[in-house]
Amino acid sequence: MDIVYVRDLRLDARIGIYEWEKRILQKIRVDLEMGWDNRVPAASDAIKDTLNYKTAAKRVMELVESDHYELVERLAETIADTLMHELHIPWIQVTVGKPGAVRGSSEVGVRIERGNRQWQAST
């Protein structure tokens, strides 16, 4: 399986469990790795055959802007589920990090993997 990725997508999010967190925007960082068979777009050289990383990134931005998330776990699951279903992705890895959330750490967060990484397109 090939990988289409978006790294270090930095967004302002309404995220957190504490009352003060519910009143502010916090910086988060999102990484995506998405399974795709890139042989078709490589042969056609046509954007319509790709897993368009710009489309995926814009959808993540919309999801982050649309709601308050108490937990990074819920945001990661929402991203994974939405992208898998809307973009027909067989496998995805989503990392959501909160820079500076823990003193002494550059970032904390979660990484989840969903779907079938061994998926093969029919040839």
Side-chain angles (χ1 to χ4, degrees), residues 62-74:
E62 292 168 358
L63 290 168
V64 169
E65 292 171 358
S66 71
D67 203 355
H68 172 88
Y69 297 88
E70 298 228 344
L71 301 175
V72 291
E73 290 86 348
R74 179 171 156 249

Side-chain angles (χ1 to χ4, degrees), residues 30-81:
V30 177
D31 291 335
L32 305 172
E33 289 200 8
M34 302 167 285
W36 198 253
D37 183 352
N38 282 326
R39 291 175 290 187
V40 173
S44 71
D45 206 22
I47 190 75
K48 68 175 181 58
D49 294 329
T50 67
L51 170 51
N52 189 317
Y53 47 78
K54 185 175 182 178
T55 300
K58 285 178 74 172
R59 189 64 177 111
V60 170
M61 291 178 212
E62 292 168 358
L63 290 168
V64 169
E65 292 171 358
S66 71
D67 203 355
H68 172 88
Y69 297 88
E70 298 228 344
L71 301 175
V72 291
E73 290 86 348
R74 179 171 156 249
L75 177 55
E77 286 289 346
T78 299
I79 291 169
D81 185 60

